[in-house]
Amino acid sequence: MNLKSHYKIIISIIIVIILFLPLIIYYYPYNNTEYNNNGESVDVKYFHNEYSIYACMFNSNYSASSYSTGNSESYLNTTLTNPAYYQLEGQLMSHINISMKNINARYVYITTTGSNNDQYVQITGTHTPINCKQEGNKWINKYSSFDNLHSMGINFGIPTSYLHNGNYNFTLTISAGKLHNTFYIDTEKESAIYGTVGSKPRCSDGNHNYNISYNSTMFVYNINTTSFRIVKINNGQFYFFTNPGNWYKIYYLNGENLSVFKNNNGNNITIIKMPLSTISKEYNIYE
């Protein structure tokens, strides 16, 4: 083989490399690479009171997703629905919706980690495919894998018996195969003004009277900041978080004017002063 033939072979190899270089550059870093979310921040504020019914009026959904590319794109999508602190149960409770596609994994895990001791998930109800069974906080597919699972619903609770200084922080992770979705949950005790509006029908616990069909709004005036807030009244119940040490007045719309609410004795509620702590105050009020 002469020198000219060598040059032809070398040139042919260079041409082949140049032609396939874009494909090599694209394929190499993306093949079977897992993309995990960096963690969704979930802030749950709550207030302490005797009955859980007033602490459940949160309305937020948090979503996280992770996916990988390879021969076929796969994904794990997770939504955390309305996380809320329930004083009566002593738990942070929520619902998880899970959907996935092309994940060759036989197990789906829900785990928690955090700075507080003895944190664990309590499953209170599930909506899973017929071929799935539960063992603790792990779900096992009776067949080969969870490939192309459309959806899975799980109700869970996090006991808060190890609450420290009003804060309860932990990480909740949903895992399937090499994919995982993470939620950084931060619960914080706040001071609040809460209570009921109206006088009947009687509440089922026999201790509070409120109008369960009453839905309206109230106007909260912060005397310290000279600012108004509009607060919803849902089914005769209301709450709003406050700043310790601040003074508040609450109004309802009476025609075109603002009027103050009344207490059980029919007297006007003029000024509400919050203590210099996370203590909350309950009011049963009337128009």
Side-chain angles (χ1 to χ4, degrees):
M1 182 177 293
N2 55 33
L3 185 60
K4 188 176 182 179
S5 299
H6 281 291
Y7 279 124
K8 287 182 178 180
I9 294 174
I10 293 173
I11 292 172
S12 299
I13 293 174
I14 292 174
I15 292 174
V16 170
I17 291 175
I18 293 174
L19 291 174
F20 283 91
L21 186 60
L23 181 61
I24 295 172
I25 292 174
Y26 174 81
Y27 182 77
Y28 176 73
Y30 290 94
N31 184 37
N32 295 323
T33 301
E34 287 77 30
Y35 293 81
N36 301 303
N37 75 299
N38 293 322
E40 179 76 8
S41 180
V42 180
D43 295 322
V44 180
K45 295 181 179 180
Y46 72 96
F47 54 93
H48 180 85
N49 55 281
E50 183 179 1
Y51 298 98
S52 65
I53 191 169
Y54 305 120
C56 311
M57 294 180 288
F58 300 86
N59 185 24
S60 300
N61 296 336
Y62 302 86
S63 297
S65 62
S66 54
Y67 65 94
S68 66
T69 58
N71 295 330
S72 60
E73 183 176 356
S74 60
Y75 65 80
L76 172 66
N77 294 333
T78 308
T79 300
L80 199 66
T81 304
N82 297 334
Y85 179 81
Y86 286 65
Q87 177 67 25
L88 191 62
E89 290 84 355
Q91 291 187 348
L92 176 77
M93 301 179 69
S94 183
H95 180 80
I96 300 177
N97 292 314
I98 302 171
S99 61
M100 63 185 74
K101 181 180 180 181
N102 294 332
I103 297 180
N104 187 20
R106 193 180 179 191
Y107 305 101
V108 174
Y109 296 90
I110 295 183
T111 57
T112 56
T113 57
S115 59
N116 300 334
N117 296 323
D118 294 341
Q119 297 187 27
Y120 59 98
V121 181
Q122 289 185 344
I123 306 301
T124 58
T126 60
H127 175 69
T128 55
I130 194 171
N131 61 325
C132 176
K133 67 176 181 178
Q134 176 188 344
E135 288 186 2
N137 301 327
K138 177 176 66 176
W139 284 261
I140 304 174
N141 193 300
K142 297 178 182 179
Y143 302 105
S144 59
S145 71
F146 280 102
D147 186 37
N148 291 321
L149 172 67
H150 178 64
S151 64
M152 173 187 295
I154 298 165
N155 297 321
F156 78 93
I158 308 290
T160 54
S161 54
Y162 287 84
L163 198 71
H164 293 292
N165 298 323
N167 295 322
Y168 189 67
N169 308 321
F170 60 93
T171 300
L172 177 70
T173 302
I174 294 89
S175 303
K178 294 183 179 181
L179 299 182
H180 65 268
N181 296 332
T182 302
F183 298 93
Y184 298 129
I185 299 179
D186 177 15
T187 68
E188 183 177 0
K189 184 179 179 181
E190 296 271 345
S191 61
I193 295 175
Y194 68 97
T196 60
V197 179
S199 59
K200 61 181 181 181
R202 193 168 181 80
C203 179
S204 59
D205 61 24
N207 293 287
H208 291 81
N209 301 324
Y210 63 95
N211 188 340
I212 60 173
S213 62
Y214 188 86
N215 294 284
S216 185
T217 55
M218 63 172 54
F219 300 84
V220 179
Y221 179 65
N222 187 326
I223 297 175
N224 298 70
T225 62
T226 65
S227 60
F228 271 96
R229 291 172 52 194
I230 298 177
V231 175
K232 291 183 178 180
I233 302 172
N234 294 319
N235 295 326
Q237 305 167 57
F238 73 92
Y239 81 95
F240 57 93
F241 292 112
T242 61
N243 297 321
N246 281 11
W247 298 64
Y248 294 88
K249 297 181 73 173
I250 53 176
Y251 300 88
Y252 66 92
L253 191 61
N254 184 7
E256 297 181 352
N257 301 314
L258 292 178
S259 299
V260 294
F261 285 93
K262 301 181 183 297
N263 60 21
N264 288 320
N265 297 322
N267 299 320
N268 292 338
I269 302 173
T270 54
I271 298 177
I272 301 173
K273 182 181 179 181
M274 297 305 295
L276 289 171
S277 67
T278 56
I279 296 174
S280 298
K281 288 188 173 183
E282 179 183 12
Y283 286 88
N284 300 315
I285 61 179
Y286 306 84
E287 291 185 358

